[in-house]
Amino acid sequence: DIEASAAADDDVDVAGALGSDGGPAVPAGNRRLSAGRERTSAHVFIKIIYATPHGDNIFTPTKLYRIREVEQRLQALPSYSRFCFSSRGVGCDAPVSVINFFYASRDPRTGDIVPDGRGTELVPIQAMLASLGSKNAYFVDRYFGVSKQQAEALLQGNVTRSVFRFGLPLRGFASPDDRRRQQDKIFKRFVQQELYPFLSTASDAEVDVRFYGDPLTAYEVEVAVWHDARYAIGSLAF
C-alpha cells in the first residue's frame, strides 16, 4: 500500500507536479517513458462495506440501485481515471463488486451474461443470489464466514462489499518505486480532496457506506485526531 505521508508533507505542490494533461510533469530525461505502463500494478485496495442500517435485506432493487449509484459516482470523480488500476494500461478496470453481476451485460454474439456492471437492467435477484451463493460467496456471505451451503440457503443478507483498486506507476513515472514519495503525495492529495470527502458523505437512510484501506484509513485518522485536538484546544480556552 502507498505509505501515508507525514502531516508536514501536506503542503506538497501537487499542482506544480502535474503536467498540462493532468498527469505528473515528466522530467526531460524521462520523456521517452511509455504511457502504456501507467497504473498497471495494483498498490492500493480500498474496501467498501455496504450495510442496511436496520439489518434488513440489502439485495433489493432499491438498495442495489443505490449501491450502483455510489460506485458510478465514485468512478466519476474528476481525478479517478488518473489513479485507478489499469491491467492493460488503458482505461480503468472495474471494481470487484456485486454490481458487476446484478447489472451484467449480455454478449450480443453468444447471448452469454457478462459480469461487467455495464448492463442497463437489473438481472433477476434471486437467481443471481443462488448463483453467487454457490460460485462466489464473497459478495453474499452474510457474515463473511458462513459455509457455501449456508450461503446458498440464505439468498439474502444485510451486508455486501466491493474493492476498488488503484495503481502505480502514475503517469510520468517509470515504475512504482520511481520517486515514490512524490507519487505518494500526489495520490494522498486525491484522497484528501476527492475520495475521502465523497465516501465520508455517501451513506443515506437506505444504505450505510463504510470504507477502509491505506492510505484512506490513515487520512481518516488524521482528520479525527485534528478534530479532537481542535476540540481540546477550544475547551481549554474556556
Side-chain angles (χ1 to χ4, degrees):
D1 292 342
I2 291 182
E3 63 180 13
S5 301
D9 291 335
D10 289 348
D11 60 353
V12 59
D13 183 9
V14 175
L18 299 179
S20 59
D21 60 355
V26 184
N30 292 336
R31 299 291 183 185
R32 64 183 180 279
L33 296 178
S34 171
R37 294 187 56 212
E38 67 180 79
R39 299 176 285 106
T40 52
S41 179
H43 273 256
V44 176
F45 300 84
I46 302 300
K47 293 85 172 179
I48 302 179
I49 306 296
Y50 303 101
T52 52
H54 306 294
D56 50 320
N57 185 23
I58 200 167
F59 298 109
T60 67
T62 299
K63 293 181 177 63
L64 288 170
Y65 180 86
R66 173 61 182 146
I67 293 172
R68 185 193 191 204
E69 182 183 48
V70 168
E71 298 193 349
Q72 287 179 332
R73 289 175 58 198
L74 193 161
Q75 293 172 84
L77 291 175
S79 301
Y80 180 84
S81 63
R82 302 175 189 168
F83 300 99
C84 61
F85 170 63
S86 177
S87 59
R88 297 176 298 172
V90 178
C92 298
D93 281 30
V96 180
S97 171
V98 72
I99 295 302
N100 296 344
F101 296 90
F102 282 106
Y103 282 92
S105 63
R106 191 174 294 276
D107 189 319
R109 296 172 299 174
T110 65
D112 294 339
I113 290 179
V114 181
D116 56 7
R118 297 179 180 177
T120 57
E121 297 181 359
L122 187 66
V123 304
I125 293 176
Q126 291 301 303
M128 183 55 70
L129 283 174
S131 176
L132 290 174
S134 62
K135 299 177 181 177
N136 205 331
Y138 177 88
F139 299 111
V140 299
D141 180 342
R142 190 181 184 92
Y143 299 111
F144 304 152
V146 303
S147 68
K148 171 183 173 181
Q149 291 73 22
Q150 289 173 307
E152 288 181 275
L154 282 172
L155 294 186
Q156 65 176 2
N158 65 339
V159 175
T160 188
R161 53 187 171 177
S162 296
V163 180
F164 280 77
R165 298 163 293 176
F166 297 89
L168 293 178
L170 301 179
R171 181 174 301 177
F173 295 88
S175 72
D177 295 325
D178 177 26
R179 292 168 287 155
R180 181 58 179 268
R181 285 181 61 83
Q182 186 177 350
Q183 293 191 72
D184 292 350
K185 292 174 184 177
I186 294 171
F187 186 82
K188 184 178 179 181
R189 183 54 58 92
F190 166 65
V191 169
Q192 293 173 325
Q193 296 183 345
E194 298 181 34
L195 188 59
Y196 179 79
F198 170 73
L199 288 175
S200 62
T201 58
S203 297
D204 64 9
E206 291 287 336
V207 177
D208 188 17
V209 181
R210 304 178 186 182
F211 49 89
Y212 64 98
D214 289 336
L216 183 62
T217 301
Y219 178 65
E220 186 176 26
V221 171
E222 287 183 21
V223 171
V225 170
W226 176 242
H227 178 271
D228 291 346
R230 291 182 63 185
Y231 180 79
I233 293 172
S235 298
L236 291 173
F238 291 96

